[in-house]
Amino acid sequence: MKQIFKKWRRPVFSLILVSGLLVAESCSTVPLTGRRQLSLVPSSQINSLSFQQYNQVLNESKISSNQEWTNMVKTVGRDISTAVEQYMREIGEEDNIEGFKWEFNLLAEDIINAWAMPGGKVAFYEGIMPIARDKNGVAVVMGHEVAHAIAKHGSERMSLGLAQQLGGATLQVALQQQPQLTQQLAMTAFGLGSQVGVQLPYSREHESEADRLGLIFMAKAGYDPREAPKFWQRMQQKEGGAQQPEFLSTHPHPDTRIRKLNQHMDEAVKVYQQNR
Ligand SMILES: [Zn+2]
């Protein structure tokens, strides 16, 4: 009994501390949507952990040898990240992208998925390319993934994980005392399971936010946002086929997604017309 108490006392105490801090200063604001989010870990620390894990994934994966698709992913990635960086400077949010090291890779697996880790590390799988079809389709997925990175969803989940599972320990302490658990926590927070290609679902809130920001980001880079609902329709048609598209199983239902995207379409098309 005493032991159990001892075991729980610290996390509970820290959680109270964390909730107190939360209100005080451990929040940041998501650009554009203005949503307040939990932020307990400095970006520099999150990014270095993310870069490590990204390299690990690359080392364990086969990089695509399809030059045409690879160029498409890299070109669209560069276009959108450049447009977003410029945009962040325009709205005085340059702090948000400090320490970002953009990288866009296509992995040689027939998985219908893509993901982004903190600090601008993006990966696409070959399996999503036939559904994306062209640069504009790639831009739909890219805008969404870049938005996850800009909105710091990985960092927010890592902060929650540290608060819930490691009693609000700082990342540095967590890494020293429980390196394995912390690494695992980060993988989960950044959207990857222990198996490469298995994406752990973001919350509905994060998904909708990434969709909304992604639409604006692709438009800023001169890609037509009206492609987004069409892309999600193609994804929907894939459902029920022989292969279960991971991107669907972990994301909101396409109908809901398309309806929500269309709510922001007028604004996005206006941005597109200014940047095409
Ligand atoms: Zn997503």
Side-chain angles (χ1 to χ4, degrees):
M1 192 69 187
K2 217 174 176 183
Q3 257 178 334
I4 294 171
F5 179 65
K6 237 184 177 173
K7 211 173 146 193
W8 283 102
R9 195 174 47 185
R10 228 168 83 199
V12 168
F13 177 66
S14 310
L15 256 183
I16 294 167
L17 251 184
V18 164
S19 355
L21 281 172
L22 206 155
V23 184
E25 54 187 312
S26 301
C27 274
S28 55
T29 306
V30 178
L32 272 103
T33 67
R35 184 175 64 85
R36 302 278 288 161
Q37 65 184 172
L38 182 60
S39 170
L40 299 173
V41 190
S43 300
S44 57
Q45 286 177 20
I46 277 285
N47 287 349
S48 81
L49 189 60
S50 164
F51 298 168
Q52 255 174 341
Q53 295 203 339
Y54 187 74
N55 286 335
Q56 198 184 322
V57 173
L58 290 189
N59 288 336
E60 289 166 4
S61 311
K62 208 172 146 240
I63 306 289
S64 173
S65 57
N66 185 319
Q67 272 314 309
E68 194 196 338
W69 283 352
T70 302
N71 287 342
M72 236 192 248
V73 168
K74 288 191 190 283
T75 306
V76 173
R78 201 177 46 232
D79 288 350
I80 292 184
S81 59
T82 305
V84 166
E85 287 203 351
Q86 195 192 331
Y87 180 53
M88 287 293 127
R89 280 191 292 270
E90 277 167 24
I91 60 171
E93 289 273 357
E94 52 267 68
D95 287 359
N96 195 289
I97 42 165
E98 209 187 289
F100 267 55
K101 287 194 178 125
W102 296 103
E103 200 175 330
F104 311 96
N105 283 292
L106 179 64
L107 307 180
E109 262 185 277
D110 194 21
I111 298 170
I112 302 174
N113 206 2
W115 45 262
M117 282 189 186
K121 301 293 185 186
V122 179
F124 274 54
Y125 292 98
E126 281 182 352
I128 204 166
M129 297 306 283
I131 304 172
R133 284 188 187 163
D134 53 20
K135 274 164 78 179
N136 217 99
V138 169
V140 174
V141 181
M142 188 65 78
H144 177 92
E145 297 306 331
V146 163
H148 273 308
I150 292 287
K152 300 208 160 44
H153 291 155
S155 175
E156 186 178 352
R157 292 211 298 193
M158 187 70 196
S159 296
L160 276 174
L162 284 170
Q164 287 167 352
Q165 291 192 38
L166 287 161
T170 64
L171 183 56
Q172 235 164 350
V173 169
L175 274 170
Q176 272 163 14
Q177 293 179 353
Q178 304 221 46
Q180 251 186 329
L181 180 61
T182 310
Q183 295 280 355
Q184 243 170 28
L185 211 61
M187 271 308 218
T188 311
F190 301 163
L192 288 175
S194 48
Q195 272 175 295
V196 167
V198 177
Q199 194 181 36
L200 296 159
Y202 276 108
S203 66
R204 287 264 156 89
E205 190 179 32
H206 282 176
E207 283 311 318
S208 301
E209 196 166 68
D211 275 349
R212 180 180 163 189
L213 294 179
L215 210 58
I216 301 295
F217 292 168
M218 72 182 287
K220 283 264 174 205
Y223 293 102
D224 192 340
R226 285 166 292 198
E227 178 65 17
K230 293 180 201 160
F231 168 82
W232 289 110
Q233 257 150 19
R234 293 200 292 273
M235 278 291 253
Q236 192 172 17
Q237 279 154 16
K238 269 269 159 187
E239 209 178 22
Q243 198 203 7
Q244 171 72 15
E246 271 88 349
F247 210 47
L248 271 189
S249 60
T250 58
H251 284 68
H253 193 274
D255 286 340
T256 315
R257 163 164 253 159
I258 289 166
R259 190 172 40 79
K260 284 198 160 177
L261 277 170
N262 283 330
Q263 285 170 3
H264 300 286
M265 196 54 78
D266 287 350
E267 185 194 357
V269 167
K270 239 180 253 168
V271 173
Y272 169 61
Q273 275 157 356
Q274 287 160 358
N275 291 279
R276 59 195 286 194

